[in-house]
Amino acid sequence: MEKLTGLKKFKTAVFISGTGSNLKNLIKFSKIKKTPISINLIISNTNKAKGLKYANQFNIRKKIFNFQNLKNIEKKILILLKKEKISLICLAGFMRILSKNFIKKFDGKIINIHPSLLPKYKGLNTHEKAIKNKDKYGGCSVHYVTSKLDSGKIILQKKVKITAKDDFISLSKRVLKEEHKLYPAAILKIFN
Ligand code: GRF
């Protein structure tokens, strides 16, 4: 990605569907001195996403799109992204699959955080799968988004040890803590 020069910040949109703890964490990251990004837009596929409250709290523009007619909606999103001069999209618990065409238009500028050590456990229920398979480690990955689900080039990964006492809840809590460090670190990596 482009080198960071002077005070220029890369305008970023965060796409969410749920709690938004990664969103909140990215907003915090966007306010520190060394950050390369500003968060200018929050997009959700549902008005039930709890994370939307951070738009009001931090005075960031939010937009909700129901993804029924993907082609139409993506067209509208692309117009909005252009209008807001967005140059990076961070998916953070966004539960919709974006089309090939949309991804092509933002090629190399969409990243995602996924709660597993990719390429292991693409898709859902990653922690259950890791525990069921008696894996020694779970973890999280930040990767570029391509049209193949959870398959783009990995930017950074963090391992989290799975103990005999772990269940899905305890493991997901520990991994989420690491996600909050990994996402900003991955953004720093791509802009440096
Ligand atoms: C995270 O575990 C993320 O890795 C996954 O969805 C979850 C979102 O959590 N893609 P939150 O909404 O950021 O709290």
Side-chain angles (χ1 to χ4, degrees):
M1 251 201 230
E2 226 177 302
K3 269 248 178 278
L4 185 64
T5 46
L7 293 172
K8 189 181 160 207
K9 300 263 188 263
F10 293 91
K11 293 191 173 181
T12 300
V14 184
F15 286 33
I16 63 166
S17 300
T19 318
S21 71
N22 277 288
L23 163 65
K24 183 183 178 200
N25 184 64
L26 287 177
I27 295 172
K28 259 173 58 192
F29 171 65
S30 75
K31 295 184 184 299
I32 66 170
K33 209 172 165 199
K34 64 172 181 182
T35 192
I37 61 163
S38 61
I39 297 189
N40 298 74
L41 183 63
I42 296 165
I43 287 183
S44 175
N45 61 306
T46 165
N47 60 11
K48 295 198 173 70
K50 291 208 179 91
L52 285 168
K53 68 179 179 214
Y54 299 119
N56 305 336
Q57 200 172 316
F58 293 95
N59 201 15
I60 300 169
R61 181 166 188 198
K62 70 170 181 214
K63 200 88 181 139
I64 297 143
F65 291 98
N66 89 27
F67 273 65
Q68 300 284 13
N69 181 340
L70 191 64
K71 221 174 155 186
N72 248 327
I73 294 301
E74 287 188 338
K75 232 183 183 171
K76 286 188 182 160
I77 295 178
L78 283 167
I79 292 170
L80 180 61
L81 295 172
K82 204 168 171 193
K83 201 171 137 215
E84 296 286 335
K85 301 193 168 59
I86 298 295
S87 52
L88 176 70
I89 296 175
C90 293
L91 306 183
F94 183 63
M95 301 302 281
R96 287 297 161 125
I97 293 179
L98 297 164
S99 75
K100 253 189 193 163
N101 175 57
F102 183 93
I103 293 167
K104 222 168 84 190
K105 293 239 161 74
F106 253 80
D107 197 23
K109 292 173 181 163
I110 311 178
I111 61 177
N112 179 43
I113 186 146
H114 183 76
S116 81
L117 294 171
L118 290 171
K120 259 194 168 179
Y121 312 136
K122 295 169 185 171
L124 299 174
N125 307 321
T126 55
H127 302 310
E128 286 95 328
K129 287 174 190 159
I131 289 172
K132 196 170 156 226
N133 289 341
K134 302 198 174 2
D135 289 354
K136 285 201 175 110
Y137 293 94
C140 46
S141 312
V142 177
H143 64 95
Y144 287 103
V145 172
T146 62
S147 53
K148 259 184 150 183
L149 181 70
D150 300 327
S151 296
K153 190 172 165 236
I154 291 164
I155 302 162
L156 276 183
Q157 265 184 336
K158 176 73 184 176
K159 276 183 178 177
V160 173
K161 197 155 179 39
I162 301 178
T163 69
K165 280 193 240 149
D166 265 322
D167 58 14
F168 146 73
I169 294 169
S170 62
L171 180 59
S172 60
K173 270 192 190 157
R174 275 207 323 285
V175 172
L176 195 61
K177 262 195 185 158
E178 293 302 329
E179 290 184 32
H180 296 162
K181 294 182 211 156
L182 196 72
Y183 219 160
I187 291 171
L188 282 173
K189 188 175 171 194
I190 61 177
F191 283 111
N192 280 317

